[in-house]
Amino acid sequence: MILLKNGQNLKVLEVRNITKCFHSKVVIDDLSFDVKKGEVFGLLGPNGAGKTTIIRILLDIIRSDSGEVIILGEEPNESVKEKIGYLPEERGLYQKMTVLNCLKYLNQLKGAKNSSEMINFWLEEIGLTDHKDKRIDMLSKGIQQKIQLISTLIHNPKLLILDEPFSGLDPVNVKMVKDILLDLKERGMTIILSTHQMDQVERMCDRILMIDNGKSALYGTLEDIKRNFEQSLFVEYEGHFKPLDGVKMIEDYGKYAEISLESGTDPQKVLKSMIDTVTIRKFELKAPSLNEIFIEVVGDA
Amino acid sequence: MHKTFVVAKHEFLSTVKTKGFIFSLILPFLIFIPMVLSIGIIPFAASEMPEVIGFVDESGILFASGDFVKYTDFDDAKGALIAGEIESLFTLRSDYLETGKVRVYSKTGPFNNAPTRAIETFLITGLLTESNLEEGIKKRIKEPLNAERIILKENGEVEEGGEVGIFLPYAVGFLLMIMIVTSSGYMMQGIVSEKENRTVEILLSSLSSGEILNGKILGYGSAGFLQVAIWICAGLVIISFTPLSSLLQVFEISGLLILTILYFILGYLLFASSMACVAAPASNMNEAQQGAGVFTMLAVLPLMLQGFVSTAPNSTIARVLSYLPYTAPVTMLMRLTQVNVPTYEIVASLSILAISVVVMMNLSARIFRTGILMYGKKFSFKDILSYLTD
């Protein structure tokens, strides 16, 4: 049901017990979650977990077998699509069209009219005004990615669903995209972000849903989730360290390691045994990274 | 519904603006005009040239006159032929009156037709010179046949346009087939290119798969229709300048024209939606064309059996082909230009076709919806069946 507070609709999305099967294989299993207005919501999970399926259900591209979805106050239908901006993982642009014409066409398909103003605004935001009359296949991949991003914004959506928005972008463009998203958030945009880049999730998302094999594995704010896990030791070191006791898992990068401790283990003891064998440059004791949590939660599957 | 037209307009414009399309408009004329010229003008020019014909006559009947040159020595004559002084050579032996045997010589080469008609006329003139017949009869003997050709259709009516009318069903069927195949081809390319451009999901997040499919069918169909319309108009203009302008009488606004348009539209819709089913799951043009090959064969089939249908328009085969939805448009049009097909047959054929169109468009919308999301997976009939139940 829709929660009302001061006459305002607080939930942009409500998913209740949806299930979906393909060829007698259960792809989504009794899944429920909400997305609140104005938040950045992370949708995570290993490949094949069902993320794309969920997104397609939200967009009425496919239908769930059972359960309920209320998106922007309605059940998924054609008119709701016009209020959503979607950046799919498998994405592309009409290679043979000019930037301007492509954006105009995509905008028309969203039912929006008179888009020149918005198109010019966003082209300027991403610094591509000079390219607007060029054919898309003449532009680099990075530039095309940026054009793809703004194609989701031109029709003034109320909700953004972005699947791997940072893929293929160099650090400069990642920053540009991130800044745009944060700016949108400040103006009240709700964003559902599906990505494998855990560091981005940690920095940007208010709440997350992690699914595994179509089921909910983790759900809630990052703080709440991390509270359920033992702290980890983060070390920068040189050398090779020997196996350690009381340790759940070690994520070793060669010069950097994240060490998850079993409950009851004293981190000081672990540090001491490490000092004997390696040179430690830096260490920190804090909540585990989302990356670590992800691997722990879904890694054994 | 309105988004269907957005897609249709976009696909139409993007097709007709391509160089390929514009080239295809001119192409037939680039091929046909030289062909028509070479068939019409060159032989015409050749026949205008005076042909000097030599002869050697041992029977004594013939005298040299006009283009006919008499040689007494065969080797001289042969030499003249080889040298090109004469175009051809014929010889009569002394026993010609009894046997009628004449040897006609010509040189090898592309136009080595012997002027047998001219020789025949010359021989008749020679034979008649000696006789006592009246001039009038002699003239009639030399030119006995001044034929006026009238061809009757099966129902006893006179075939308009004479012999040319016989080509009409073939031409109409051919044009219909071309339009169906090219439009459907454009459409298949249009569907496959959405996958190649990776724009499928973006489209599906903006409008329903039905709107996408219908928009494409409408847009590409209009482009194909425009192409054929231009060909026909240009062709008619050209024809009106040639002796074949009698053909133009046949193109009157009539029931036939309306039926033609109806069959065009229904036939195209059937083929386009069928091909969409095949194009949607395909990952590239090759796969799509393999699957679509079946439908192309069906479109061509009536033309291959054209001889059959033309000569026996009311035979069982012709009837059956008129009812089968895929062959109905072309077959029925071919029959209609030949005979008065009973109204009930036309109604039945159109009804079956219309129902098939509805069924097929429904089916294709479903297959399109699931198939379009498949990437790089070689599909089989089993997969398609399962798409229908999804």
Side-chain angles (χ1 to χ4, degrees):
Chain A
M1 294 299 110
I2 302 166
L3 270 179
L4 291 173
K5 184 176 178 180
N6 297 336
Q8 259 196 331
N9 188 344
L10 275 191
K11 287 190 191 174
V12 155
L13 174 64
E14 290 172 68
V15 176
R16 295 279 167 268
N17 307 102
I18 56 170
T19 303
K20 179 73 186 171
C21 300
F22 278 136
H23 307 316
S24 68
K25 183 182 167 216
V26 179
V27 175
I28 309 280
D29 194 355
D30 197 28
L31 188 65
S32 302
F33 66 97
D34 298 330
V35 174
K36 297 185 185 144
K37 184 165 163 42
E39 73 175 350
V40 178
F41 186 86
L43 182 59
L44 321 172
N47 296 327
K51 300 192 298 290
T52 310
T53 309
I54 294 174
I55 293 177
R56 286 179 181 167
I57 291 176
L58 298 182
L59 289 164
D60 199 31
I61 295 177
I62 59 179
R63 305 252 162 89
S64 60
D65 296 333
S66 61
E68 192 185 39
V69 173
I70 310 275
I71 182 164
L72 293 169
E74 303 175 52
E75 281 182 359
N77 59 46
E78 286 310 311
S79 66
V80 168
K81 284 183 186 179
E82 293 180 0
K83 301 181 196 156
I84 305 175
Y86 175 41
L87 190 67
E89 192 182 356
E90 280 286 346
R91 54 178 172 260
L93 296 165
Y94 291 100
Q95 294 294 310
K96 305 218 167 100
M97 292 177 89
T98 63
V99 173
L100 190 62
N101 288 335
C102 183
L103 289 173
K104 273 192 186 160
Y105 179 53
L106 291 177
N107 200 50
Q108 276 180 312
L109 292 178
K110 281 286 186 186
K113 304 170 195 32
N114 274 338
S115 46
S116 311
E117 229 181 272
M118 282 303 271
I119 293 179
N120 289 326
F121 169 75
W122 280 111
L123 278 174
E124 218 183 292
E125 280 291 302
I126 57 171
L128 290 177
T129 312
D130 292 335
H131 295 283
K132 70 176 181 192
D133 289 316
K134 292 202 185 142
R135 254 171 67 144
I136 293 196
D137 55 6
M138 302 267 130
L139 302 170
S140 73
K141 190 115 202 298
I143 292 185
Q144 290 193 31
Q145 298 267 56
K146 290 198 283 187
I147 294 172
Q148 263 150 6
L149 177 66
I150 63 171
S151 73
T152 65
L153 301 169
I154 289 169
H155 60 281
N156 255 326
K158 302 275 180 298
L159 167 66
L160 273 187
I161 303 180
L162 308 174
D163 200 341
E164 299 291 0
F166 302 106
S167 78
L169 295 178
D170 66 33
V172 173
N173 286 326
V174 166
K175 175 173 159 50
M176 184 187 278
V177 170
K178 179 200 51 113
D179 288 341
I180 290 176
L181 296 183
L182 279 177
D183 192 46
L184 288 167
K185 177 183 173 175
E186 248 150 73
R187 293 171 205 232
M189 180 72 85
T190 313
I191 302 177
I192 297 177
L193 188 59
S194 178
T195 178
H196 286 315
Q197 305 206 343
M198 293 299 134
D199 49 336
Q200 296 290 357
V201 177
E202 288 212 68
R203 289 171 205 157
M204 293 185 66
C205 294
D206 302 305
R207 296 190 310 132
I208 64 155
L209 168 68
M210 185 183 295
I211 58 170
D212 188 21
N213 282 329
K215 295 199 205 20
S216 169
L218 293 172
Y219 177 49
T221 63
L222 281 171
E223 289 131 10
D224 289 338
I225 287 171
K226 288 195 180 184
R227 236 171 260 149
N228 291 324
F229 292 84
E230 289 293 321
Q231 287 191 317
S232 291
L233 259 177
F234 294 79
V235 287
E236 267 180 50
Y237 69 96
E238 269 170 32
H240 301 276
F241 53 79
K242 299 210 179 93
L244 302 162
D245 291 324
V247 156
K248 218 176 352 183
M249 182 163 58
I250 300 178
E251 210 31 47
D252 190 1
Y253 293 88
K255 294 196 292 190
Y256 177 84
E258 184 180 338
I259 304 170
S260 322
L261 305 171
E262 274 170 19
S263 60
T265 308
D266 184 1
Q268 303 299 326
K269 287 212 177 105
V270 175
L271 262 176
K272 278 194 192 137
S273 53
M274 277 188 75
I275 288 176
D276 292 336
T277 48
V278 294
T279 314
I280 295 188
R281 296 258 168 248
K282 182 172 162 189
F283 69 89
E284 198 179 351
L285 184 63
K286 62 177 184 180
S289 67
L290 195 54
N291 200 56
E292 192 69 31
I293 293 176
F294 186 109
I295 295 172
E296 196 181 309
V297 169
V298 306
D300 297 322
Chain B
M1 189 51 189
H2 125 87
K3 286 188 186 168
T4 305
F5 291 110
V6 172
V7 176
K9 179 177 159 193
H10 173 252
E11 306 294 13
F12 175 77
L13 287 176
S14 65
T15 306
V16 302
K17 282 184 188 168
T18 58
K19 290 187 199 139
F21 183 81
I22 298 184
F23 184 66
S24 72
L25 287 180
I26 328 176
L27 187 66
F29 300 107
L30 287 179
I31 297 180
F32 282 137
I33 291 182
M35 247 173 66
V36 163
L37 284 180
S38 66
I39 293 177
I41 292 198
I42 295 179
F44 182 66
S47 67
E48 282 285 292
M49 273 172 16
E51 255 206 46
V52 182
I53 305 174
F55 66 94
V56 177
D57 177 20
E58 289 172 17
S59 68
I61 303 179
L62 303 171
F63 300 98
S65 90
D67 296 330
F68 290 87
V69 176
K70 181 170 177 159
Y71 289 87
T72 37
D73 186 67
F74 180 66
D75 289 316
D76 282 345
K78 206 168 85 169
L81 177 65
I82 304 286
E85 290 163 20
I86 51 177
E87 299 299 319
S88 50
L89 164 68
F90 67 94
T91 61
L92 281 78
R93 305 224 330 216
S94 45
D95 58 355
Y96 166 70
L97 275 174
E98 285 89 42
T99 64
K101 276 199 182 151
V102 178
R103 272 209 180 144
V104 181
Y105 296 83
S106 47
K107 245 168 84 167
T108 63
F111 293 109
N112 62 355
N113 297 321
T116 40
R117 277 211 66 185
I119 296 176
E120 197 177 44
T121 314
F122 186 63
L123 284 170
I124 292 177
T125 312
L127 288 166
L128 284 175
T129 319
E130 292 290 311
S131 71
N132 294 322
L133 294 171
E134 264 194 331
E135 279 309 308
I137 303 249
K138 280 193 196 176
K139 188 167 165 230
R140 196 48 52 227
I141 291 178
K142 282 193 270 190
E143 280 176 51
L145 181 63
N146 186 4
E148 184 190 339
R149 299 251 356 232
I150 297 172
I151 298 170
L152 295 181
K153 303 198 273 202
E154 275 229 358
N155 56 10
E157 281 174 17
V158 175
E159 168 83 75
E160 321 267 341
E163 305 136 301
V164 180
I166 295 181
F167 288 118
L168 191 59
Y170 191 79
V172 167
F174 189 71
L175 275 175
L176 180 55
M177 183 210 76
I178 293 257
M179 187 209 142
I180 288 177
V181 168
T182 49
S183 296
S184 310
Y186 283 138
M187 199 208 57
M188 283 210 308
Q189 175 66 59
I191 291 180
V192 171
S193 73
E194 296 288 1
K195 277 203 184 162
E196 291 171 348
N197 274 326
R198 298 259 186 279
T199 44
V200 173
E201 280 208 67
I202 298 175
L203 276 184
L204 286 174
S205 71
S206 308
L207 56 166
S208 71
S209 58
E211 283 171 318
I212 301 174
L213 182 60
N214 291 337
K216 284 187 181 284
I217 289 181
L218 185 59
Y220 292 114
S222 307
F225 192 77
L226 180 68
Q227 184 179 48
V228 173
I230 291 181
W231 281 344
I232 292 179
C233 289
L236 287 177
V237 166
I238 292 181
I239 287 179
S240 64
F241 287 119
T242 70
L244 293 175
S245 52
S246 55
L247 244 189
L248 296 181
Q249 298 167 347
V250 195
F251 289 92
E252 311 154 347
I253 306 283
S254 61
L256 181 59
L257 196 61
I258 296 177
L259 279 177
T260 306
I261 294 180
L262 258 180
Y263 273 109
F264 260 141
I265 295 177
L266 287 175
Y268 167 67
L269 287 177
L270 182 64
F271 275 90
S273 52
S274 307
M275 287 185 174
C277 294
V278 174
S283 314
N284 54 54
M285 206 48 193
N286 269 333
E287 278 182 26
Q289 276 172 337
Q290 273 169 24
V294 167
F295 299 109
T296 320
M297 287 298 302
L298 282 173
V300 175
L301 188 64
L303 286 166
M304 297 200 304
L305 297 176
Q306 186 259 345
F308 232 131
V309 175
S310 282
T311 46
N314 281 325
S315 65
T316 324
I317 288 198
R319 281 213 175 104
V320 166
L321 287 180
S322 303
Y323 291 138
L324 290 179
Y326 287 101
T327 50
V330 179
T331 310
M332 200 47 132
L333 282 176
M334 286 186 352
R335 286 178 67 197
L336 283 168
T337 50
Q338 291 286 87
V339 300
N340 280 334
V341 180
T343 317
Y344 80 85
E345 279 194 43
I346 300 179
V347 171
S349 159
L350 275 175
S351 311
I352 297 179
L353 185 56
I355 294 175
S356 312
V357 167
V358 171
V359 166
M360 206 54 203
M361 291 195 74
N362 241 301
L363 214 67
S364 67
R366 284 211 230 154
I367 294 182
F368 185 81
R369 173 142 55 109
T370 5
I372 199 82
L373 289 169
M374 301 286 131
Y375 281 92
K377 192 172 142 194
K378 281 239 153 101
F379 65 100
S380 61
F381 275 122
K382 265 192 248 165
D383 290 336
I384 296 187
L385 284 177
S386 68
Y387 294 163
L388 295 176
T389 51
D390 245 334

